[in-house]
Amino acid sequence: MDGVLSQKEINALLSEPGAEAGDSDNLSETEKDAIGEISNISMGTAATTLFSLVNRKVEISTPVVSYATWDDIVEQYEKPCVFIRIAYTVGLDGSNLLVLKEKDVKVITDLMMGGDGTNTDGEISELHLSAISEAMNQMMGSAATSLSSMLNKKIDISPPNATLIDLTENVDESLIDEFLTSRFVKI
């Protein structure tokens, strides 16, 4: 074994249609562990990139792989929050969606601008959305590079799309990303 996953194996892990997995509706514990480890490596690289942007220690937790639905997201996240979406354009089929608290976006933006992270008054502005998009772009760019090395294939990503969403209102989740309209893997 050379440590490189084939597209067939990736499809099986992600339970894509046509994937060869025992039960296409559920991931086995081994598959969850594999996806968790891939995410851990990718997000470790992304955290290092964020450290360089904010000049502050960035820690990540151990990944927890589960299934979720849009209703789960609405219940679990602070309102309003910022959704930043980056899709894979080459090498993988899927998207990454980062959900951040409004205050966290303001802190990260202030740190990126050379502040101390305390200038968080006021509403989320285009400046905040632009800054957090750039942070996500750099983080996911480095994560894509790690994935590319791990999978031994070219992986490219789309430009980020950041949106402030008030989850107390009715939101058409398909406008954020089509995968949110059905059950998906949440890490």
Side-chain angles (χ1 to χ4, degrees), residues 70-151:
W70 176 252
D71 291 338
D72 298 330
I73 299 296
V74 170
E75 286 178 26
Q76 294 173 3
Y77 288 92
E78 196 171 291
K79 296 133 182 91
C81 54
V82 175
F83 282 66
I84 307 112
R85 177 191 173 271
I86 290 185
Y88 292 106
T89 58
V90 174
L92 292 174
D93 183 23
S95 298
N96 285 293
L97 187 65
L98 181 63
V99 184
L100 293 171
K101 297 175 186 174
E102 186 177 19
K103 183 176 188 320
D104 291 343
V105 170
K106 292 176 184 179
V107 168
I108 291 169
T109 299
D110 188 45
L111 291 170
M112 288 175 70
M113 302 285 286
D116 62 3
T118 60
N119 184 14
T120 59
D121 293 335
E123 300 291 316
I124 290 275
S125 68
E126 285 300 317
L127 172 71
H128 294 104
L129 295 178
S130 178
I132 203 64
S133 291
E134 182 54 27
M136 178 71 165
N137 189 47
Q138 290 191 34
M139 290 166 55
M140 290 312 303
S142 62
T145 300
S146 287
L147 278 171
S148 180
S149 295
M150 191 182 335
L151 301 174

